[in-house]
Amino acid sequence: EPVLTKGNNCLDAAKACNLNDTCKRFRSAYITPCTSSTSNEICNKRKCHKALRLFFDKVPPKHSYGMLFCSCRDVACTERRRQTIVPVCSYEDREKPNCLNLQEICKKNYICRSRLADFFTNCQPESRSVSSCLKENYADCLLAYSGLIGTVMTPNYIDSNSLSVAPWCDCSNSGNDREECLKFLNFFQDNICLKNAIQAFGNGTDVNVW
Amino acid sequence: KGRRNQRGKNRGCVLTEIHLNVTDLDLGYETKEELIFRYCSGSCDAAETTYDKILKNLTKKKKLVTDKVRQACCRPTAFDDDLSFLDDNLVYHILKKHSAKRCGCV
């Protein structure tokens, strides 16, 4: 039984993308390397990541965010949303590294280091603010989050029931750094600023930014 | 909507576009995604090259043994960018050379 049967916002965003020449071109430009298997690998992850970065760099947010941050009411929709970045290539790996180790790898790369710093700055939660963000700017938070796609810190939705996201890592084998590791991971998984930003885009409620 | 052939003659051969469901293509995919399909159509009657002119003249004079000599056809001279879509079973597909970008009498 096919999973995707009824229409939904994520499907509408995909349709809109393919009717726009720029979005269509850069979408195919990442679907191609992210789904082409090489002799002993599922895909060339490096090429897939590079094409994903190009997609989010070149395609107007209306289209790129439309597919990544679409609001959903059923599994057909959330599954499509989860597939946006072709997670089998860009996200998943044989093993899940420790998040602090992954952060170290990220810091050795110029793009990853700067984009992770942007993410921690622009998606910083603040419970006392109206938006739940310290910076009170959803657009900057979404830009910083989508900027991580195509780095070793590539995040994705972790299940189909919520807007919880995480990079491909966990906090097992953290030793004495367990608390620090969980703090890092929870900044992704349990971030009210990021969740509100995604929700506001999906519902089209953050009118002054777009 | 269509774009005129730039080369002067054969103004009839133009690029035309139509908004379709991917399933309308009948290529065997199950998906709700859509596309713009662009195709070439129109007449290439005005002979474009000396070759075409000679063929026409020889046909008229019945000097050619084969009765079916191919006239110029309105065909894509370049193809549109690839199209990708996610099917109902969450599998991605890519269509290449599926849609015209420019047309010409060739």
Side-chain angles (χ1 to χ4, degrees), chain A residues 71-134:
Chain A
S71 65
C72 286
R73 312 175 73 171
D74 57 29
V75 180
C77 180
T78 55
E79 274 308 304
R80 175 178 272 279
R81 183 172 64 190
R82 231 173 50 77
Q83 291 301 325
T84 303
I85 64 165
V86 198
V88 69
C89 176
S90 71
Y91 184 62
E92 291 158 25
D93 222 325
R94 280 186 216 105
E95 282 166 35
K96 256 191 184 179
N98 180 277
C99 292
L100 295 179
N101 291 344
L102 191 65
Q103 190 184 8
E104 286 307 308
I105 295 167
C106 174
K107 281 179 175 173
K108 287 186 182 125
N109 176 282
Y110 168 75
I111 296 175
C112 194
R113 183 174 62 231
S114 62
R115 294 194 174 180
L116 187 61
D118 277 352
F119 175 62
F120 277 101
T121 305
N122 291 309
C123 297
Q124 181 71 52
E126 171 53 63
S127 53
R128 284 167 298 183
S129 89
V130 185
S131 64
S132 299
C133 298
L134 184 66

Side-chain angles (χ1 to χ4, degrees), chain A residues 157-173:
Chain A
Y157 300 97
I158 48 181
D159 55 50
S160 30
N161 309 316
S162 70
L163 290 176
S164 265
V165 297
W168 186 257
C169 65
D170 62 24
C171 285
S172 54
N173 306 314

Side-chain angles (χ1 to χ4, degrees), chain B:
Chain B
K1 253 200 284 181
R3 221 179 66 187
R4 290 267 161 166
N5 182 312
Q6 307 290 314
R7 284 198 272 172
K9 283 182 179 178
N10 296 314
R11 285 274 164 92
C13 174
V14 291
L15 188 67
T16 310
E17 65 178 45
I18 177 171
H19 183 175
L20 297 172
N21 296 319
V22 172
T23 47
D24 292 332
L25 306 178
D26 271 333
L27 295 173
Y29 300 111
E30 288 177 53
T31 180
K32 304 279 175 303
E33 290 205 34
E34 300 174 359
L35 78 157
I36 301 283
F37 175 67
R38 299 188 175 98
Y39 61 99
C40 301
S41 68
S43 126
C44 288
D45 279 349
E48 185 126 60
T49 61
T50 310
Y51 172 82
D52 291 313
K53 217 175 277 179
I54 294 169
L55 271 188
K56 240 181 197 172
N57 297 342
L58 292 180
T59 311
K60 243 183 257 173
K61 289 185 181 173
K62 299 206 159 62
K63 286 211 173 179
L64 299 178
V65 216
T66 47
D67 43 352
K68 261 290 179 199
V69 177
R70 300 285 172 189
Q71 297 282 315
C73 293
C74 180
R75 293 275 302 161
T77 53
F79 288 101
D80 218 341
D81 295 314
D82 297 349
L83 177 90
S84 55
F85 60 89
L86 189 65
D87 75 15
D88 290 351
N89 295 305
L90 300 170
V91 178
Y92 277 108
H93 300 278
I94 300 154
L95 297 184
K96 292 173 189 291
K97 293 193 175 179
H98 64 290
S99 174
K101 188 180 184 179
R102 276 191 297 277
C103 303
C105 290
V106 291

Side-chain angles (χ1 to χ4, degrees), chain A residues 8-19:
Chain A
N8 60 58
N9 286 337
C10 294
L11 176 64
D12 289 344
K15 286 181 187 176
C17 177
N18 278 353
L19 300 185

Side-chain angles (χ1 to χ4, degrees), chain A residues 170-182:
Chain A
D170 62 24
C171 285
S172 54
N173 306 314
S174 290
N176 291 336
D177 299 325
R178 186 167 170 78
E179 213 166 301
E180 194 194 342
C181 183
L182 287 173

